[in-house]
Amino acid sequence: MQPELGNGLSPTGRHDLADSSLFEIVSRVEHDINDLIGALALLGVKRCSQCKSFFRSAEPGALFECEQTVCYKCIPEWWPSFSMRLGVNDRERAEGKLASWLRKYHRAEVVRETPGKVPETANAGFQMISKCIECAGSGKLMEGERCRFCNGAGTLRIVVPK
Ligand SMILES: [Zn+2]
Ligand SMILES: [Zn+2]
């Protein structure tokens, strides 16, 4: 079977031809790069969506994956804008995921908010606020007494030391 070549209706002039072949080359290169990134992922190498650096995904704590793949270094810049775009439920889920990832791999600590006391932040690298899991953010336990885990604030501060 012969493929149909040119139906004589193509309006492509010489100038457009140069443009379109350049476009073709660029999109082919782009396609090849995406193939390579896919192949690297199979080998366990993934790319940070923010700084475009490559990381071995088996390396503990190198990459955080939540819709997007983000390296540890890019988290402080990425998290505020990313979390703002999420709905309440998705944000709480992402918060919990990030909080436990930071605790597992980056020595993050849970800091209780003490009412009337300004939190010590001099030693903090990155920090985020997450809903208290114990009282589901209400600050109160079932019996109506103040949640001891978050001191009644309903939120916890997750702090990664510098
Ligand atoms: Zn990065
Ligand atoms: Zn609580």
Side-chain angles (χ1 to χ4, degrees):
M1 260 218 289
Q2 277 275 92
E4 257 195 11
L5 287 173
N7 51 14
L9 291 171
S10 167
T12 326
R14 184 179 288 196
H15 187 72
D16 289 341
L17 192 70
D19 276 356
S20 68
S21 59
L22 182 64
F23 177 76
E24 241 170 60
I25 291 169
V26 170
S27 45
R28 205 183 313 140
V29 168
E30 210 175 280
H31 189 88
D32 284 351
I33 289 175
N34 283 335
D35 280 356
L36 274 178
I37 291 173
L40 284 169
L42 286 177
L43 293 171
V45 175
K46 286 188 181 173
R47 196 184 202 186
C48 169
S49 61
Q50 307 299 299
C51 66
K52 311 292 181 200
S53 301
F54 289 97
F55 294 86
R56 289 197 317 183
S57 52
E59 202 173 302
L63 292 167
F64 177 67
E65 287 187 72
C66 186
E67 273 180 55
Q68 296 171 329
T69 304
V70 188
C71 77
Y72 176 59
K73 207 179 81 223
C74 291
I75 297 262
E77 252 186 68
W78 164 81
W79 173 250
S81 61
F82 174 76
S83 63
M84 248 166 48
R85 290 205 315 267
L86 300 173
V88 180
N89 288 339
D90 286 341
R91 190 171 61 229
E92 281 172 3
R93 210 172 311 133
E95 267 173 10
K97 204 173 162 189
L98 179 58
S100 61
W101 183 80
L102 289 170
R103 288 170 71 186
K104 190 166 173 196
Y105 298 112
H106 297 284
R107 297 177 296 129
E109 281 163 18
V110 175
V111 179
R112 287 174 184 78
E113 309 270 9
T114 313
K117 196 178 156 231
V118 182
E120 177 82 55
T121 54
N123 282 323
F126 170 62
Q127 53 178 315
M128 60 175 289
I129 303 293
S130 161
K131 193 169 87 168
C132 175
I133 324 134
E134 296 298 311
C135 62
S138 68
K140 289 192 177 69
L141 297 178
M142 292 239 264
E143 305 80 31
E145 82 184 90
R146 198 169 73 172
C147 171
R148 283 180 299 268
F149 201 63
C150 62
N151 262 341
T155 53
L156 296 167
R157 188 184 293 272
I158 313 292
V159 177
V160 183
K162 262 186 199 153

